[in-house]
Amino acid sequence: MITAAEARARIRALRRAERRMLAVLDDDPTGSQSVRGVQVVTVFEREEYAAALADEGATAFILTNTRGMVEADAVALTAQIADELFALAAETGRPVDILSRGDSTLRGHLLPEVRAIDAARRRALGSGYDAILVAPAFFEAGRTTLDDVHRVRIGGVEVPAGETEFARDATFGYRASNLREFLAEKSDGAIAVGDVHSLTLGDIREGGPE
């Protein structure tokens, strides 16, 4: 089994070889504050994205601050940025991966923003994504997921996210701690629990990419 460092090095090498760009749409400044060695973009212009993603295999955080917007404005800005990123990919001939970075306690315009990115891909390439990978975590702050249940460490105790004060948020409140149930809840039933599949550590470590 390869080490984590070896895995990261292999991923970086593959991204450089494929000249991939990774754009992280960050709905709050805390995301970019928890990483290093990446560009941070605060101006929503294609030239700025191009400069930040110029290096082979580059990653850039685009600070959208959409968590502080009403849903319609958040969706509009996300769509605008995604359209520009796909246009940049077409101009440069380099594939772009877009990651929607949200709150590790499950607050934010999660599904509307992801749908806006998917719609932008359809406009640019004629097809949307095959699947969306939802992976909430912030290990340093004690936000982890075990057996599909997202948890928040409070006073040294692992508390299911749906039982915390974060779930009582006036704008982004929810009841479910199980992520499959959470997605069904936030989609108002458009996503069924049975339509959400889980990838366990066993799948990743033992099953491999297949």
Side-chain angles (χ1 to χ4, degrees):
M1 181 178 295
I2 65 172
T3 66
E6 291 169 336
R8 285 193 293 269
R10 183 181 298 182
I11 291 168
R12 292 189 182 111
L14 287 169
R15 293 189 60 81
R16 283 194 298 271
E18 296 178 4
R19 305 177 65 232
R20 302 192 77 86
M21 301 180 286
L22 174 59
V24 182
L25 275 55
D26 195 354
D27 77 346
D28 178 90
T30 56
S32 59
Q33 292 171 5
S34 63
V35 296
R36 59 184 172 84
V38 300
Q39 297 288 329
V40 179
V41 180
T42 59
V43 178
F44 308 129
E45 296 177 359
R46 192 184 309 178
E47 294 75 13
E48 297 293 332
Y49 310 147
L53 293 166
D55 294 337
E56 305 295 327
T59 296
F61 272 62
I62 301 172
L63 184 54
T64 66
N65 276 328
T66 49
R67 202 183 311 167
M69 301 178 183
V70 298
E71 182 177 312
D73 292 344
V75 168
L77 179 58
T78 299
Q80 171 193 327
I81 295 171
D83 282 336
E84 292 291 346
L85 287 169
F86 284 118
L88 175 63
E91 287 177 2
T92 61
R94 297 172 59 198
V96 62
D97 300 314
I98 301 178
L99 187 153
S100 181
R101 208 291 308 186
D103 183 50
S104 59
T105 57
L106 306 181
R107 296 171 298 170
H109 303 289
L110 173 83
L111 290 177
E113 291 189 22
V114 167
R115 287 173 177 145
I117 297 169
D118 183 74
R121 190 181 194 277
R122 291 178 187 277
R123 288 191 290 273
L125 304 178
S127 63
Y129 294 102
D130 294 324
I132 305 299
L133 180 63
V134 180
F138 187 7
F139 301 134
E140 295 82 357
R143 284 84 182 260
T144 57
T145 300
L146 178 65
D147 294 330
D148 295 339
V149 174
H150 193 54
R151 308 175 301 170
V152 179
R153 186 182 304 123
I154 301 175
V157 178
E158 305 287 344
V159 181
E163 299 174 15
T164 67
E165 61 179 327
F166 303 108
R168 308 284 83 79
D169 188 285
T171 302
F172 302 115
Y174 56 91
R175 296 182 303 276
S177 300
N178 182 290
L179 292 177
R180 299 169 73 204
E181 297 171 0
F182 170 82
L183 291 170
E185 176 184 346
K186 297 302 280 189
S187 71
D188 293 325
I191 298 173
V193 172
D195 292 334
V196 183
H197 300 276
S198 301
L199 286 174
T200 68
L201 288 177
D203 293 327
I204 295 170
R205 292 172 178 169
E206 299 166 16
E210 293 77 11

